[in-house]
Amino acid sequence: MDLKVQNPSLTGQNKSHGKFADTAIVNERPIATGEDGGIRGLMRSGIDPKERALVRKLDYYIMPTICVMYFLNYVDRNAIAQARLNHFENDLNMSGNEFNTAVSILFVGYVLMQVPSNMLITRIKPGIYMSGCMFLWAVVSACTASVRSYGGLVACRFFLGIAEAPFYPGATYILAIYYTHSEMAARVGLMYCGQLLATGFTGLISAGVFAGMDGLRGLAGWQWLFIIEGALTAFVALLGFWLLPNAPDDTYWLNGEERKIIQARAERDRISDALSEASAWEGLKQAFKDKRTWLFCFMQMFHLSACSFNAFFPTVAKTLGYNTTVTLLLTCPPFVLAGAGSTVVGWSSGRLNERTWHITATLSIAIIGFVIAARTLNTAARYVACFIFPVGAFSANSVIVGWASSTLSQTEEKRAVVLALTNVFGHIGYIYGAYLWPDSDEPRYGIGFGASAGFALLSICCAWVVRMLLIQENRKIRGSNPEHANLYSY
């Protein structure tokens, strides 16, 4: 959002060629006002009709493609959680913590590939690169159906992590190219909704496959699950080569005028401490030297550590005491609600231009859900908790990612590295998080729920530290440029 900040001591009105006529500062945060000094003036003036039409076009082309891709990203990744309920471990002669290791090893490959991938994506066509990686992970996922041992499963999961690694930071990088800071959180929230729906609807898909195809043509239901989901992913990957955008100048469905508007939006949206273009290695150095990078990394690591229940949700749902089909069906509604919550919170954060309280509120809700789940084995109370903690935990993600993207965007290269680094640290939480849900701790799973509550609290603490730093940065920006400056949101 273009926020040209006026010195609070000035009371006169300035004309602006941006979205808003003038702005004023209230409690360290820029608040936009219209020419008549009120919100109604802003609502009447709105944004330029051509820009509004462009945003609608971007939403039409980019968001459905990315959401479906991210949906399938998690469908393929989480198929192992559903397969566990279809004699998967018995077929592969697995025991002890071997299933936990199979879950965890994916994130080792995922973490190793993140930063190199996003350093590369600023130098190649991102849409083609991400579609190619998607086709590769579809092949690896389908090949999981052919494994016959624990060792083969671990190898498949490791390479699946490598193949899937470019997608999420790459998708957020594409969104950051085309959308402004105020638009990012809602779009990331909508994209993240695809992941949550995947986690929920995979249970429905699995229930149908296990009930109708187990033993068909000599293949177990879990094998058919990997084959069907891998084939669908490969098909969508081929469509992605035509639908996903590259750079604005290299995207066929944009005309010349739209490309100029995108460039103007990007220039107008730059924070006032923006730097000139840098090399990929210089972007890496900029990201590493900025202490805010590491705060966002730890914020996301603690947040995703609190979400480690994701791969074990069907196992937790099984403690409610129902059969496999009913258990899989029960996993769907909580994640549908979480998807809606993520979208609403992302929209609200962008609309209000606020980050810290949104993160605090959502993760506090998650903590309440974790505590309820850990303290009771009552079926009704525990299933209610299974709605509360996913809604709270997952709703914070779009706010954190959008906040990191807008705060650390001094150069495109730095932003790409930061998005990869935060995702790397976040998924490190999934590596050790897989061991917080041992079979020995069922049915209460007090270790997992207790640790998740602690991680959520630590993520909240990181958000407030970032907030204090950004307040200080805004004071410096206003001191060097008191009349016109774009400030950090917090």
Side-chain angles (χ1 to χ4, degrees), residues 60 113 325 379 451:
Y60 177 79
M113 190 63 182
T325 301
T379 300

Side-chain angles (χ1 to χ4, degrees), residues 252-266:
Y252 77 91
W253 44 263
L254 291 172
N255 59 42
E257 184 179 14
E258 290 168 338
R259 289 169 181 149
K260 290 179 181 178
I261 295 174
I262 290 171
Q263 183 178 5
R265 277 161 49 91

